[in-house]
Amino acid sequence: MLTPTFLDTLLDLAADVTGGDRRGVRGGAAGSPFVTLGGTLEQAMRLQRRAGERLGLSLDLAALMGPAPLSDVLARAVPARAPAARESGVLRPLLPGQRAALAGRHGSRAALRVLSAELSGPLDVAALRTAVAALSARHEGLRTFFAPSAGGPVRRVLDSCTVPLVAGPAVAGEADGVAAVHRRLARGAARWATAAGRPPVAFVLVPLAPGRHVLSFLYHRAVAGPWSAALVWRELLDDYGRAAAGLPVDREPAPAPGAAGVPYARAVRRAGLLRGAAGPVDLGAPERRPAVFDLRGERLPFVLDAQVRDAVDATARRAGVPHSTVVLAAWALAVGRRCGREELLVGAELPRRPAAALPRTVVPCAVTHPVRCTLEGTADYFLRGIACALSEGLADAGTDEDDLARALGTAGDRSRPGPAQVTFAAHDELLPAAAGAGGLSARFHHGHLGGAEADAALTLVRWRERPLLCLDFASSVLTRIEAARLAADVSAALLALALSAPSTPVDDLLPAMPTAGATLPTPP
């Protein structure tokens, strides 16, 4: 057990990452979980990292997001393990999750991602190139490509390789220049992602107007995940600011990613917990579904009213869960009602390896892990059940995707994307809406490159400033009108949860049958 001094210091760190009053957090920690005290997944990861950096202690991320009182979780902290030794040799085994990301059904542009910044102000291109070079030197993930071998793909980490900074032709005469850039990138994304002998990452710089540019970070999900992409942008802007001011930039290597996998027995155990909720989810006409899920998709963004956001926040505080849990619950409720299921699997995007070094490493850190969502009980009971299911998912998030599909018996169905046909991700806390460095202001935009890895995927992109949700959908499974009606159902479910009393039965929150004349959501 920790000494009182260490426990008090950890409680102070918890107050710092949540923005709470230190005395209030200390007073509530004995009887309240971290999430009830205002903690979110990203804040739990920051607390985990700071405990390792400042105190040399390791915290369990799943326990932090679970129902145990915060003081109990912090008291179980243990000494942190030493950082993983950097692997030697030219060829290295794949990291967890990379095999699935490179496999046939994922090895298309559905596995490609883009995160862009709209830059305003005078751009120092030389300083930008210096920042890109420093970033590439620090992170071996940005210097990694995948080579064939007798046993399947392997990693090759180059000693020296700078992520390309490609200058694209200017975009002119477009009402939305950023969207035009993303459309152009989507047309050519497969070329840079499949180039032999080159890491599947790139920066593309496109002028919009004098003093305005779009800088896009393109990456394959076998190289980086959403937390890593946010890290890339934070470090790039910091390095740019230093380089523009004539200061040196850091090129010291970041922590090395670990290659340890998870035993198949873990997947079997997890499958046993999920099996009752597994089953087909058909949001569109079943006869329209292709024999092989084709990975083509579209994106439908929609915004929420600020009053709905504030009401959702109030409901989250009342139930003692993060606001993202309320959004996930609304998504599960909308999908369940539309397809007539009281229990279903929703793939939640979670950190694959919940270690303190994760936020400082460019690594394929995310896994879309099936979470059991049960639509029962009262409103607050339902929300807390979703939060507990997420915590359980975090504990098993290192489970190999292919192993879990085999254990659940869904691996042979090529017409469906996996055990969880609908997914959810919360990206609103990974980056601020805007940031600044070296005289530039950067406003971030999550692009879409025309792929889909699920029948329908809801992403919480922005929350505090003009709340933005994006619904990505498989165009061979759902029409755009069907997707718009599904988005309307999500908005209605969010409003119902926001206005509910704690004892409102879940069955009363949303009609079982969708109405054909539902109000469509507001586009951004």
Side-chain angles (χ1 to χ4, degrees):
M1 296 290 288
L2 295 182
T3 65
T5 301
F6 271 107
L7 183 57
D8 286 345
T9 303
L10 284 171
L11 288 170
D12 288 344
L13 291 179
D16 290 344
V17 299
T18 60
D21 175 73
R22 290 193 175 190
R23 284 184 294 184
V25 170
R26 286 192 183 192
S32 300
F34 181 68
V35 294
T36 303
L37 295 170
T40 64
L41 176 57
E42 282 69 35
Q43 290 168 348
M45 291 170 67
R46 289 202 295 273
L47 175 57
Q48 187 187 49
R49 185 183 77 241
R50 292 183 189 182
E53 292 173 347
R54 300 184 188 182
L55 302 174
L57 295 173
S58 176
L59 297 174
D60 184 88
L61 190 63
L64 267 177
M65 295 300 294
L70 176 60
S71 289
D72 292 355
V73 176
L74 298 183
R76 294 197 295 269
V78 297
R81 295 179 181 177
R86 201 163 291 275
E87 297 170 272
S88 60
V90 176
L91 300 180
R92 304 178 188 177
L94 295 181
L95 296 170
Q98 287 183 329
R99 186 173 302 277
L102 297 168
R105 71 186 296 163
H106 294 298
S108 71
R109 64 182 182 181
L112 309 181
R113 305 287 186 264
V114 58
L115 180 56
S116 299
E118 186 178 2
L119 305 176
S120 299
L123 177 63
D124 184 336
V125 177
L128 180 59
R129 292 192 180 280
T130 297
V132 171
L135 189 71
S136 305
R138 278 197 303 274
H139 294 289
E140 67 175 42
L142 299 176
R143 294 180 275 110
T144 297
F145 70 91
F146 302 95
S149 76
V154 292
R155 286 185 297 147
R156 180 170 184 179
V157 180
L158 301 175
D159 292 332
S160 177
C161 177
T162 298
V163 177
L165 176 58
V166 181
V171 169
E174 295 279 354
D176 187 341
V178 176
V181 169
H182 288 162
R183 287 195 297 271
R184 182 189 293 172
L185 293 175
R187 290 193 293 270
R191 290 196 298 274
W192 62 263
T194 57
R198 192 178 77 187
V201 290
F203 285 100
V204 179
L205 181 65
V206 176
L208 295 182
R212 288 185 63 221
H213 298 77
V214 175
L215 180 62
S216 299
F217 175 50
L218 297 100
Y219 61 99
H220 194 287
R221 75 177 184 93
V223 168
W227 287 274
S228 296
L231 172 70
V232 164
W233 272 112
R234 289 195 299 270
E235 291 193 358
L236 183 72
L237 290 175
D238 184 62
D239 287 345
Y240 174 83
R242 294 183 64 82
L247 300 174
V249 294
D250 181 17
R251 294 172 180 265
E252 285 298 312
V262 175
Y264 181 68
R266 180 90 162 263
V268 173
R269 185 189 71 82
R270 181 63 178 163
L273 298 175
L274 299 175
R275 190 165 284 112
V281 170
D282 286 309
L283 294 168
E287 64 273 11
R288 194 188 307 137
R289 180 177 294 276
V292 178
F293 189 77
D294 64 11
L295 302 167
R296 293 182 296 111
E298 299 181 40
R299 168 165 289 180
L300 178 66
F302 59 103
V303 297
L304 299 175
D305 187 275
Q307 292 179 318
V308 175
R309 175 204 61 203
D310 294 343
V312 167
D313 284 340
T315 296
R317 288 191 297 271
R318 181 193 76 202
V321 300
H323 66 269
S324 56
T325 299
V326 182
V327 179
L328 169 57
W331 177 228
L333 185 59
V335 172
R337 290 292 181 263
R338 183 162 281 272
C339 64
R341 293 184 64 96
E342 291 298 318
E343 202 168 34
L344 70 156
L345 297 183
V346 176
E349 188 177 77
L350 301 170
R352 180 184 296 277
R353 299 192 59 76
L358 175 68
R360 297 181 290 132
T361 307
V362 174
V363 65
C365 53
V367 59
T368 302
H369 191 77
V371 170
R372 187 178 192 137
C373 296
T374 305
L375 315 181
E376 67 178 15
T378 60
D380 282 15
Y381 177 89
F382 170 51
L383 292 173
R384 290 168 189 152
I386 296 291
C388 287
L390 277 171
S391 174
E392 293 169 0
L394 269 170
D396 288 324
T399 307
D400 184 84
E401 297 166 65
D402 291 339
D403 285 350
L404 186 58
R406 286 199 299 274
L408 280 170
T410 62
D413 187 355
R414 302 185 65 201
S415 69
R416 300 181 188 273
Q421 294 169 231
V422 296
T423 65
F424 173 77
H427 292 168
D428 58 305
E429 292 188 334
L430 299 183
L431 282 172
L440 283 177
S441 66
R443 187 165 189 83
F444 298 105
H445 300 268
H446 296 254
H448 185 254
L449 297 176
E453 291 188 291
D455 285 1
L458 185 71
T459 303
L460 175 55
V461 176
R462 194 172 60 230
W463 189 248
R464 296 298 160 209
E465 178 190 336
R466 200 165 182 246
L468 175 65
L469 298 169
C470 285
L471 178 61
D472 295 350
F473 60 97
S475 50
S476 60
V477 174
L478 290 171
T479 67
R480 194 165 182 84
I481 291 295
E482 289 171 334
R485 287 178 177 155
L486 180 58
D489 288 349
V490 175
S491 298
L494 263 177
L495 183 60
L497 283 167
L499 299 179
S500 67
S503 58
T504 303
V506 170
D507 288 344
D508 294 346
L509 288 174
L510 203 65
M513 296 299 293
T515 56
T519 302
L520 298 187
T522 305

